[in-house]
Amino acid sequence: MAASTLSYLLLIPLLMVVAYAGNLDQEFDITWGDGRAKMLNNGELLTLSLDKASGSGFQSKNEYLFGKIDMQLKLVPGNSAGTVTAYYLSSKGTTWDEIDYEFLGNLSGDPYILHTNVFSQGKGNREQQFYLWFDPTADFHTYSITWNPQRIIFSVDGTPIREFKNSESMGVPFPKSQPMRIYSSLWNADDWATRGGLVKTDWTKAPFTASYRNFNADACIWSNGASSCGSGSGSSSTSSSWLSQELDTTAQERLRWVQKNYMIYNYCTDAKRFPQGFPPECRTS
């Protein structure tokens, strides 16, 4: 798997493209919401809003095929029950790939649920859910996706919370050939988001607003059928270390700490859902 993908990347001259903070207006297009999404402070801040009539959303101008993607988010404060803030990478088509963060709102004083999922070849059902060890509405926090041919790592403020390894040797498709854009949206999902739909959105609290800043993409941009990455220049730059990144001992300990103390759902332990046996990738997670 990895060898074939990397050998393809080696054919393309090295050009690591890094999008630095402060360029949200250069990196993203607002795609829906009829004015509810706003670029502020000369593109340093992007906000999405939701009211009873509509939510809002944006997408990246670029498509990516592998990279380390960082974004700082500050979530809807107060009573956010029924709302979902989605931030994810996705390709197009019926056999799409997708790497998801979804933040499920809750009643004031109750914790947000961070919902993660990985789709490959149109198949998802790989949910892991977490509480966070801080209030994600009080300040900005960094939510990262590291995506390389060997693994996908979800991290919060530099702490890994989930690792999805390439298990193609077990017959599990892995996202490695379809370029993906970044998407984000704030929308009403009170039919399922909070306590399975029991708690509805309180529209007297609208508009609900989520904020974004400090985007950084150390990534391979896909354009006109070619990637901007490769190692034809013999690069040993630390900027491309994510291409072979794995979790070291310290990171593995942090991952175990999060999963022991803050994970509230793991599809790989849901025996009722998989009476015929767990998916094969669960053996490596």
Side-chain angles (χ1 to χ4, degrees):
M1 176 287 312
S4 62
T5 305
L6 285 171
S7 62
Y8 172 74
L9 292 174
L10 288 173
L11 297 175
I12 303 163
L14 176 71
L15 177 59
M16 298 307 299
V17 179
V18 181
Y20 290 101
N23 290 324
L24 293 175
D25 53 346
Q26 297 177 25
E27 298 295 332
F28 295 98
D29 291 320
I30 292 170
T31 48
W32 63 285
D34 194 23
R36 291 172 179 81
K38 300 183 188 310
M39 292 281 188
L40 304 169
N41 300 346
N42 296 316
E44 292 183 0
L45 182 69
L46 194 163
T47 61
L48 295 181
S49 291
L50 163 70
D51 57 33
K52 197 166 187 177
S54 178
S56 51
F58 64 85
Q59 70 180 43
S60 62
K61 296 178 188 290
N62 291 318
E63 291 182 292
Y64 304 95
L65 186 62
F66 306 127
K68 184 177 187 295
I69 310 290
D70 305 315
M71 180 77 91
Q72 290 193 331
L73 279 72
K74 183 163 68 170
L75 300 179
V76 174
N79 180 3
S80 58
T83 71
V84 172
T85 305
Y87 175 66
Y88 59 102
L89 287 160
S90 182
S91 64
K92 295 290 190 181
T94 57
T95 57
W96 77 99
D97 295 336
E98 187 171 322
I99 304 169
D100 282 346
Y101 281 111
E102 289 186 302
F103 302 89
L104 312 185
N106 218 329
L107 294 169
S108 298
D110 288 344
Y112 260 83
I113 292 174
L114 172 50
H115 174 101
T116 66
N117 205 349
V118 176
F119 288 75
S120 52
Q121 298 296 308
K123 179 184 180 300
N125 300 322
R126 300 184 177 106
E127 301 90 347
Q128 291 184 356
Q129 294 183 337
F130 305 84
Y131 290 143
L132 293 164
W133 50 96
F134 53 83
D135 178 358
T137 73
D139 203 350
F140 285 89
H141 293 269
T142 302
Y143 301 90
S144 304
I145 294 168
T146 301
W147 170 34
N148 64 38
Q150 296 84 34
R151 57 186 44 80
I152 296 163
I153 302 168
F154 296 77
S155 301
V156 178
D157 289 340
T159 294
I161 64 168
R162 177 176 186 178
E163 180 183 29
F164 183 80
K165 295 180 180 178
N166 186 320
S167 299
E168 285 181 308
S169 62
M170 302 178 184
V172 180
F174 184 83
K176 68 169 190 179
S177 59
Q178 298 189 67
M180 296 197 261
R181 289 189 195 276
I182 301 166
Y183 297 88
S184 191
S185 57
L186 174 58
W187 50 291
N188 178 48
D190 67 2
D191 56 335
W192 64 270
T194 306
R195 293 183 59 203
L198 294 177
V199 182
K200 300 300 183 183
T201 303
D202 182 356
W203 293 113
T204 67
K205 302 295 192 295
F208 304 98
T209 301
S211 303
Y212 302 74
R213 72 179 188 190
N214 289 351
F215 169 72
N216 189 79
D218 188 356
C220 303
I221 291 177
W222 187 266
S223 180
N224 298 319
S227 170
S228 65
C229 286
S231 53
S233 300
S235 171
S236 59
S237 168
T238 55
S239 67
S240 59
S241 61
W242 55 264
L243 193 55
S244 58
Q245 181 177 339
E246 53 187 301
L247 297 179
D248 62 19
T249 302
T250 301
Q252 290 176 14
E253 290 174 356
R254 295 293 289 172
L255 177 68
R256 285 192 291 270
W257 173 80
V258 171
Q259 296 193 341
K260 177 182 177 182
N261 293 288
Y262 295 98
M263 179 184 281
I264 59 172
Y265 178 80
N266 181 5
Y267 77 108
C268 281
T269 60
D270 191 345
K272 290 183 179 179
R273 186 174 174 186
F274 300 105
Q276 306 303 316
F278 293 114
E281 72 269 14
C282 292
R283 294 177 223 150
T284 66
S285 64

